[in-house]
Amino acid sequence: MNLDFSPVFADWESLASGALVTIEITAFALLLGCVIGLLVGIGRLNPQRRIVYGLCSLYLLCFRGTPLLVQLFIWFYGLPQFGVKLPAFACGVLGLAMYSGAYVSEIVRGSIQSIDRGQAEAARSLGMSSGQAMRIIILPQALVRMIPPLGNEFIALIKNSALVSLLTIHDLMHEGQKIIAVSYRSLETYLVIALVYLVLTTITTTILRYIEKRLRAGGMVQ
Amino acid sequence: MSTSDMIRIRDLHKSYGSHKVLTGIDFSVPTSQVVVVIGPSGSGKSTLLRCCNGLEVAQEGTIEIDGRALLEHGRLLPEVQLNALRTQVGMVFQSFNLFPHLSVLENVTVGPRTLRGMRRAEADALAKTLLAKVGLQDKTEAMPASLSGGQKQRVAIARALAMEPKVMLFDEPTSALDPELVGEVLQVMKLLAKEGMTMMVVTHEMGFARDVADVVAVMDGGRIIELGAPEVIFTAPRQARTREFLHAVLSAQGSVANALPPAASADAAAAANPLG
């Protein structure tokens, strides 16, 4: 067995541009997914608000309960039947964000509900509205507890983003497959791609760990 | 002070499912007086207190705070008015409930800054005054996690006072404290009482009730079974249930001899020394 990485390294520019697309798409999806997750997570705090709770639960059920690849294909290949034709990049971002948002919403809800009831009671006793209590007292504390599970979710998102290569998006995976099509060097190419993904996920983990440490040092956590 | 009541409760009923917690409470806290509520656990005293700022909602009855209806025939005030009314009712919890992500100073200023529109400098000055009052002027920059229980509770009192409430509610404020830290919290509460703050206090500290209360209310089984001046409640309680409760609590607190009515003392002595 002989490994020959030279065709892979020869086309490093394609891989770099692919990595950039992967970073862009996951960054947008991550931000959007967090916004969706925050709203849905808060929407699922109170089952007594039936409509909001019901809608948020339905979203969670659908987007967490079906394969990401199927969702991505619906966005890209399915919706045009209704005349909704989004660019591939938008489909990738939306598809990843809606999928990831479902998981983030459960992280958000769990973290908020893990904050002691007494915190909300103390805030409300001062005269704060439920919104003020959430924003000023509960969320800042919940945020710190969200970080470790969010780290997991972000890593999953980066890895899952490889699927958007099937939507004609020229991400890292897609560029790699182009190299293989020409060079037939599958193992070498996939190994290099895997390494690039590993670097991306490691950077993400490091950043989150740093943020968590800063928050803890700032006394956000007992 | 018979002319005005800060808290007035009429015919309050509350139940959790089929379990009745409050069964017809009629009760008031006169302005500038200290009312201490005592009674065995499960008697409904904490629930009663928490009803007075809407943390618990009773199904029937009326609660007025300074003449404003908080609860009217089982209907709680709408959200916006409820929040406004709550700014006038200070609450101190058994488990302190300080905000752990805020410094001691910020714990005290967060209320006035978000709810009374106070500027930072003004709120900081107010907080420092209040923290000095509870003896914690040197802890303003500390985080709650670094404080002892007694210090936490004193910060919690300062936090409530920062809203300049008309009445303070205390829900077993010393029950979570190590015994040697109880005194410093009670001292602050005594100071407030002396300044004329209207207070409703749920506690097991019989000494505090005896020394500071204007009125002692004894609860049992969801109702107030006896109400009177502390010297009457502690020396000549009318209800057998009150005597039993006081006997149990006071013998546990080790002050049987000087606190119990003579008959009960004799019983206690006999119990302590079965051979005598």
Side-chain angles (χ1 to χ4, degrees), chain A residues 64-80:
Chain A
R64 195 178 55 176
T66 57
L68 174 58
L69 186 59
V70 174
Q71 291 179 29
L72 287 170
F73 279 9
I74 289 175
W75 287 104
F76 189 64
Y77 297 111
L79 288 187

Side-chain angles (χ1 to χ4, degrees), chain B residues 112-156:
Chain B
R113 286 185 65 194
T114 46
L115 301 164
R116 297 176 63 201
M118 231 183 232
R119 294 287 180 83
R120 177 190 283 267
E122 199 187 347
D124 283 0
L126 170 69
K128 281 176 183 159
T129 313
L130 290 172
L131 287 168
K133 184 172 177 170
V134 300
L136 291 171
Q137 58 279 13
D138 54 340
K139 291 285 182 188
T140 52
E141 297 312 315
M143 295 306 282
S146 68
L147 302 181
S148 73
Q151 291 171 330
K152 283 182 189 170
Q153 195 60 297
R154 286 185 282 150
V155 174

Side-chain angles (χ1 to χ4, degrees), chain B residues 177-253:
Chain B
L177 297 177
D178 290 338
E180 76 272 22
L181 303 176
V182 168
E184 62 193 60
V185 171
L186 293 182
Q187 209 168 355
V188 170
M189 291 170 64
K190 280 180 192 170
L191 179 68
L192 286 182
K194 203 178 289 175
E195 288 177 355
M197 175 61 78
T198 309
M199 294 161 65
M200 178 171 169
V201 184
V202 170
T203 187
H204 292 292
E205 292 297 328
M206 296 304 146
F208 178 82
R210 212 165 34 214
D211 298 346
V212 184
D214 296 295
V215 178
V216 174
V218 186
M219 281 188 75
D220 187 40
R223 60 180 74 232
I224 291 172
I225 57 169
E226 193 157 0
L227 190 75
E231 49 273 23
V232 176
I233 300 281
F234 287 107
T235 54
R238 289 188 310 270
Q239 302 289 330
R241 193 72 189 84
T242 306
R243 278 196 294 274
E244 278 169 39
F245 169 71
L246 288 174
H247 183 197
V249 174
L250 292 173
S251 48
Q253 290 183 1

Side-chain angles (χ1 to χ4, degrees), chain A residues 99-101 103-104 107 148-158 160:
Chain A
Y99 178 79
S100 176
Y103 287 90
V104 173
I107 293 170
L150 273 184
N152 283 337
E153 181 49 34
F154 292 168
I155 286 167
L157 184 67
I158 291 169
N160 285 339

Side-chain angles (χ1 to χ4, degrees), chain A:
Chain A
M1 189 179 87
N2 67 326
L3 287 174
D4 180 9
F5 284 95
S6 59
V8 188
F9 292 133
D11 206 3
W12 68 270
E13 282 179 334
S14 300
L15 286 182
S17 95
L20 213 60
V21 171
T22 291
I23 291 170
E24 275 172 20
I25 223 163
T26 41
F28 281 122
L30 191 147
L31 282 177
L32 190 58
C34 282
V35 174
I36 294 169
L38 188 66
L39 294 176
V40 174
I42 290 174
R44 273 172 47 82
L45 286 175
N46 184 0
Q48 261 125 37
R49 291 207 311 251
R50 285 236 186 83
I51 296 174
V52 174
Y53 181 83
L55 286 175
C56 292
S57 300
L58 185 66
Y59 159 80
L60 182 66
L61 183 78
C62 296
F63 284 85
R64 195 178 55 176
T66 57
L68 174 58
L69 186 59
V70 174
Q71 291 179 29
L72 287 170
F73 279 9
I74 289 175
W75 287 104
F76 189 64
Y77 297 111
L79 288 187
Q81 276 188 29
F82 288 104
V84 183
K85 179 121 183 63
L86 297 170
F89 187 85
C91 285
V93 170
L94 271 175
L96 287 173
M98 292 292 279
Y99 178 79
S100 176
Y103 287 90
V104 173
S105 78
E106 283 293 85
I107 293 170
V108 169
R109 186 176 66 93
S111 308
I112 289 173
Q113 287 178 337
S114 77
I115 303 297
D116 183 64
R117 241 173 84 91
Q119 291 292 305
E121 287 186 351
R124 301 306 302 276
S125 294
L126 286 174
M128 287 188 194
S129 67
S130 55
Q132 286 171 322
M134 180 59 71
R135 196 162 38 81
I136 301 167
I137 304 303
I138 310 294
L139 270 184
Q141 297 179 55
L143 200 64
V144 186
R145 298 191 189 178
M146 287 180 208
I147 288 174
L150 273 184
N152 283 337
E153 181 49 34
F154 292 168
I155 286 167
L157 184 67
I158 291 169
K159 296 186 295 183
N160 285 339
S161 77
L163 289 175
V164 303
S165 63
L166 297 167
L167 308 186
T168 73
I169 294 172
H170 292 217
D171 73 331
L172 182 58
M173 184 72 182
H174 190 98
E175 294 300 334
Q177 282 172 324
K178 282 201 309 201
I179 292 174
I180 295 167
V182 179
S183 67
Y184 298 105
R185 288 288 169 186
S186 310
L187 179 60
E188 294 88 337
T189 311
Y190 285 136
L191 281 176
V192 171
I193 287 177
L195 190 68
V196 178
Y197 277 113
L198 190 63
V199 170
L200 292 181
T201 51
T202 307
I203 291 171
T204 310
T205 322
T206 311
I207 292 172
L208 281 167
R209 196 179 295 146
Y210 175 76
I211 293 174
E212 192 186 351
K213 220 166 98 182
R214 282 289 300 271
L215 290 176
R216 284 188 192 278
M220 291 278 281
V221 180
Q222 283 166 302

Side-chain angles (χ1 to χ4, degrees), chain B residues 31-32 48 65 75 80 84 93 106 114 125 129 151 157 235 256:
Chain B
T31 303
S32 293
L48 176 63
I65 308 288
R75 295 251 314 255
V80 176
F93 298 88
E106 289 165 335
T114 46
T129 313
Q151 291 171 330
I157 293 172
T235 54
V256 179

